[in-house]
Amino acid sequence: MKLYQLLFLLLFFASSIFAQQTVVVEYSQKANIEYQLRGETDPKVRARVAAHLSKPRIYTLVVAKGESIYQRVNGEVITDFAAHAEATKRIEIGREAGGAYRNQSEDLFIKEADILGRRFLIYDKQPKIDWTFSKETKEIGQYTCKKASTIHFGEPVVAWYTEEIPLNVGPKEFGHLPGLILEIELQTKTISATKVNFLKDNPYDFKRPTKGKRVTLEAYYGILNEMLANIRKNSNNGTLTIGGGY
């Protein structure tokens, strides 16, 4: 048997084992504060925004039998964006609501998102991301991870994935790599796995997000980027940073 055939069979066998388990990953999302404060010179505003951004946000990714959902744990809900922006000198845009849901067999990606009070339901095929692979590796926890990079809707993205957990999913809409993504580096934030647990049973009920105006992922990013451009153009004071769902 040729080597590549043997490797394929080993990967298929490993994937089938993981497919019978529920994998629960906890991620810590930390803002890239210096990037988000670029251009802001007021020391009081910098200190206030830095304090607001310094606390990490915790998310979980649950994967079981071809379904997965990525959602924030104990997420903060802001109902008055104007008051929030005035109080913190920070505009929060692109917040998540019901999490990001995937279904492998249906090739389906669904995500609820809120842009300044406008609720959207992203309903699309699973994003096919054109990754560029690297030989660079690093350790995240007990796992050896490989590096892949891409430009995703105009933003540079670096992913670190491990073939030791052969699941092709990760945080947000990122996936389609030959292993679970344990870290995502974006301009505005870094999302890193802090815990990985394996359960024999699935105690989770996968509820598909349902609320909001239905749009494709591409249309959503178009609306988001247009709003960001308008806010930057019209903002005379305060620092623009990106909310948890971006």
Side-chain angles (χ1 to χ4, degrees), residues 110-226:
I110 309 175
K111 177 183 176 182
E112 287 181 5
D114 189 304
I115 304 179
L116 296 180
R118 293 175 61 187
R119 180 65 64 85
F120 294 93
L121 181 67
I122 301 167
Y123 200 101
D124 211 334
K125 293 183 178 180
Q126 295 185 82
K128 305 297 190 294
I129 299 173
D130 186 16
W131 295 103
T132 298
F133 294 90
S134 168
K135 293 182 179 180
E136 188 176 348
T137 64
K138 74 173 182 177
E139 302 296 314
I140 298 179
Q142 68 188 73
Y143 301 100
T144 299
C145 294
K146 295 183 177 180
K147 181 180 179 180
S149 58
T150 191
I151 301 295
H152 186 61
F153 292 103
E155 182 177 16
V157 179
V158 172
W160 295 92
Y161 65 96
T162 178
E163 295 176 335
E164 297 169 39
I165 307 177
L167 298 172
N168 63 348
V169 294
K172 294 162 63 69
E173 66 262 29
F174 298 108
H176 280 274
L177 283 167
L180 178 67
I181 298 175
L182 294 186
E183 187 170 279
I184 286 286
E185 299 173 7
L186 303 168
Q187 289 179 321
T188 57
K189 64 197 70 175
T190 299
I191 306 169
S192 303
T194 55
K195 298 177 183 177
V196 181
N197 294 314
F198 302 93
L199 308 177
K200 291 183 178 179
D201 300 317
N202 178 25
Y204 296 90
D205 181 17
F206 288 103
K207 294 182 179 179
R208 300 184 180 190
T210 59
K211 298 178 181 179
K213 179 182 177 181
R214 185 180 290 197
V215 294
T216 64
L217 187 63
E218 182 177 5
Y220 167 75
Y221 272 101
I223 296 167
L224 178 63
N225 290 333
E226 182 179 359

